[in-house]
Amino acid sequence: MSQKALLRWGGWLVTLFTLAGIGLTLLPYFWMVSSSLKTGSEVFELPIRWLPRLPQWENYPNTLSRGQFPTYFFNSAVVALAVMGGNLLFCSLAGYGLSKFRFPYRETCFRFILSTMMLPLEIVLVPTFLVVRQFGLVNNYGGLIVPLAVDAFGIFLMRQYIKDLPDSLIEAARLDGCSEFGIFWRIILPNCKPALGALALLTFRDNWDQFLWPLIIASKDTLKTFPLGLAQMEGIDSAAYHEIMAAAVIGMIPTALVFLLFQRAFVRGIALSGLKE
């Protein structure tokens, strides 16, 4: 077999494996959407019925009428957007300081921040809760937002991106009499849009799906987030999996919209940040 034929067959195999991987990745989402349009009995039919006999669109309004799902949805949106805004501001400020300012033990500080990424959540959960309780932030939005408003990975991502920005831009702004905050606001941030888009998407996704921290910090039903409401629905009415799947589809929509909004910046930001030292 010629080399050209081998390359062609190799290309077909790569395409085949890629399509198989895409199919396996999207299969749970397809099953979730399909189950959300079934009756309760169809979900458990064997052999598996991949498509509903008759789409049950009323599952969606029925799901939203259960409990306080609009409140849970609103709480998740407030927390995810607030945490995303905090990370964009504080992580970019920290990244700017760690990449463009010279001060003693700068690299030590950066490595110490990176070391916190190695700690499992279970190790810092109790100390964080005790600190939040001392500040009186249990059972309010502050407790849900403040501990997550800055993240070590966000600092790392922004520092790596800002580090590659030319120092001549900053020096020129200083010669023109621009303040340090003015340099950050007018020079650094506009040139960091790809990294900011990537950080916004990752932060929103992580905090929209946040389950463990809201479970610990919010005992009031009016402060519960969407994942907590979904878990509560499963506990209260464990047989209504068709409606649980409908709620899961609704909960997936905000993350999908944010991804569509930031997808180009996300890919470019991850690529250009280099994730390198």
Side-chain angles (χ1 to χ4, degrees), residues 40 48 155 206 231:
I48 294 175
I155 295 174
D206 290 344

CSV table of all heavy atoms in Angstrom, one decimal, residues 40 48 155 206 231:
chain,number,residue,atom,x,y,z
A,40,GLY,N,-43.1,9.5,32.9
A,40,GLY,CA,-42.4,8.8,34.0
A,40,GLY,C,-42.1,7.4,33.7
A,40,GLY,O,-41.0,6.9,34.0
A,48,ILE,N,-34.2,0.2,26.0
A,48,ILE,CA,-34.2,1.7,26.1
A,48,ILE,C,-34.9,2.3,24.9
A,48,ILE,O,-34.6,1.9,23.8
A,48,ILE,CB,-32.7,2.2,26.2
A,48,ILE,CG1,-32.1,1.7,27.5
A,48,ILE,CG2,-32.7,3.7,26.1
A,48,ILE,CD1,-30.6,2.1,27.7
A,155,ILE,N,-5.8,33.9,39.2
A,155,ILE,CA,-4.6,34.7,39.3
A,155,ILE,C,-3.5,34.1,38.4
A,155,ILE,O,-2.8,34.9,37.7
A,155,ILE,CB,-4.1,34.7,40.8
A,155,ILE,CG1,-5.1,35.4,41.6
A,155,ILE,CG2,-2.7,35.4,40.9
A,155,ILE,CD1,-4.8,35.4,43.1
A,206,ASP,N,-18.2,27.0,37.0
A,206,ASP,CA,-17.9,26.4,38.2
A,206,ASP,C,-18.9,26.8,39.3
A,206,ASP,O,-19.3,26.0,40.2
A,206,ASP,CB,-16.5,26.7,38.7
A,206,ASP,CG,-15.5,26.0,37.8
A,206,ASP,OD1,-15.9,25.0,37.1
A,206,ASP,OD2,-14.3,26.4,37.9
A,231,ALA,N,-31.3,18.8,43.7
A,231,ALA,CA,-31.1,17.6,44.6
A,231,ALA,C,-32.3,17.4,45.6
A,231,ALA,O,-32.7,16.3,45.9
A,231,ALA,CB,-29.8,17.9,45.4
